[in-house]
Amino acid sequence: MKLVEIYQCLCDETRLRLLHLLLRGPLCVCHLQSALGEPQVKISKHLGYLKARGLVTAQRQGNWVIYALPPEAERAPEVAANLACLQDCVAGSVVFKRDLAKLAKEDLECSPLGRVRGAIKKRGCSC
Amino acid sequence: MKLVEIYQCLCDETRLRLLHLLLRGPLCVCHLQSALGEPQVKISKHLGYLKARGLVTAQRQGNWVIYALPPEAERAPEVAANLACLQDCVAGSVVFKRDLAKLAKEDLECSPLGRVRGAIKKRGCSC
DNA sequence: CGACTACATTCCGGCTACGGAATACAGATC
DNA sequence: GATCTGTATTCCGTAGCCGGAATGTAGTCG
């Protein structure tokens, strides 16, 4: 992956916010979506963009798709460096902190069904 | 300057190469142009892009315009961090190393006139 | 099977970036 | 003033991104 392509991935605010959350660990689309408060299409397309360029991986789990950064050992040096840099840079920014806060407030179960009727048969996603 | 805007400045290869050279110190347009081997319009427009966003400064010296990164003390933390990151990341890349090599071979005087007839009245730029 | 949920894709429109040719401009020299 | 040199800007065309509405798809549940 060329350096420019990394920056091209980073040059959109929505993608920055997504990557920032994924730095904390794997997440399903619905968690990302509600944390960012953006429409589903938008989230999905940007995740697709990142996935097409290898910056994130996707894995299906039942109804849900879990997105994650590749494990640290497998990251190209430039990717690792820039993710670390991103981590540092967002420290002061309100938007990013709000995303994290919103994520923390999310239930562990993904769907309402998972909470209401679930616990026996309907389980939420495991992220 | 917002973080995304920094990445937007970095997401073009020509601009990356320009910034990389400027990390070594101030340079006039003609030096940058011949180091990169790209047409003048292209160089000038990308420099304008960077200047408009405050990532570089420009200063006229006679016929020449010297571009430079703002002094380290004045750089926003995110800018400083990303420039450092860039510096690290280009280490392995051929293109960037070639740019530096080409720059080293340049004469100190900018224009042919400066070399041929000059030395008394016509001086090249001071970069 | 049908219905529902989570997610992806397609099909637009608008906007911006990028590149090159031509032109304009500023300062120096004559 | 005329001219040259270094640089910037304008005027194109093209291409890609971004967003949203609608539609499609995969998997689950009953």
Side-chain angles (χ1 to χ4, degrees):
Chain A
M1 188 178 195
K2 289 187 62 181
L3 189 55
V4 194
E5 295 175 315
I6 297 177
Y7 288 123
Q8 282 166 352
C9 287
L10 297 175
C11 71
D12 176 274
E13 172 143 358
T14 305
R15 288 198 289 270
L16 279 186
R17 294 168 70 192
L18 290 172
L19 288 170
H20 172 236
L21 290 182
L22 289 175
L23 278 166
R24 292 280 170 135
L27 287 169
C28 65
V29 179
C30 58
H31 274 153
L32 290 167
Q33 179 182 342
S34 57
L36 264 64
E38 300 279 358
Q40 186 255 325
V41 198
K42 196 170 172 181
I43 301 291
S44 184
K45 279 207 268 193
H46 282 295
L47 286 172
Y49 186 105
L50 294 173
K51 183 182 158 196
R53 283 150 186 86
L55 231 85
V56 303
T57 62
Q59 183 192 352
R60 182 137 215 152
Q61 273 196 16
N63 262 335
W64 297 271
V65 174
I66 315 288
Y67 279 85
L69 298 175
E72 291 198 37
E74 296 175 18
R75 294 179 199 164
E78 312 91 30
V79 174
N82 274 291
L83 287 178
C85 187
L86 172 61
Q87 185 90 274
D88 288 350
C89 290
V90 296
S93 173
V94 189
V95 194
F96 293 91
K97 278 193 279 193
R98 199 152 36 80
D99 289 344
L100 270 181
K102 233 176 170 181
L103 184 66
K105 279 188 197 155
E106 301 284 322
D107 285 296
L108 284 168
E109 304 295 314
C110 270
S111 72
L113 284 176
R115 289 198 296 267
V116 176
R117 302 194 245 154
I120 305 168
K121 287 193 171 180
K122 292 198 177 180
R123 289 268 317 294
C125 68
S126 61
C127 62
Chain B
M1 188 180 198
K2 288 188 63 180
L3 189 54
V4 195
E5 295 175 316
I6 298 178
Y7 288 122
Q8 282 165 352
C9 288
L10 297 175
C11 72
D12 176 272
E13 170 141 1
T14 305
R15 288 197 290 269
L16 279 187
R17 294 169 69 194
L18 290 172
L19 289 170
H20 172 235
L21 291 182
L22 289 175
L23 277 166
R24 292 278 171 135
L27 287 168
C28 65
V29 180
C30 56
H31 275 152
L32 291 167
Q33 181 181 339
S34 56
L36 264 64
E38 300 277 359
Q40 186 256 326
V41 198
K42 197 170 170 181
I43 301 291
S44 184
K45 277 206 269 192
H46 282 295
L47 286 172
Y49 186 105
L50 292 172
K51 182 182 160 196
R53 284 151 187 85
L55 230 82
V56 302
T57 63
Q59 183 192 351
R60 184 137 214 150
Q61 274 197 14
N63 263 335
W64 297 272
V65 175
I66 315 287
Y67 279 84
L69 298 176
E72 291 198 37
E74 296 175 17
R75 294 178 199 166
E78 312 91 30
V79 174
N82 274 291
L83 286 179
C85 187
L86 173 61
Q87 185 91 273
D88 288 350
C89 289
V90 295
S93 175
V94 189
V95 194
F96 294 90
K97 277 191 282 192
R98 198 152 39 80
D99 289 344
L100 270 180
K102 233 175 167 180
L103 184 66
K105 281 187 197 155
E106 302 284 322
D107 286 293
L108 283 167
E109 304 295 313
C110 269
S111 73
L113 283 176
R115 289 196 298 269
V116 176
R117 303 194 245 155
I120 305 166
K121 287 192 168 178
K122 291 200 176 179
R123 286 268 318 295
C125 67
S126 62
C127 60

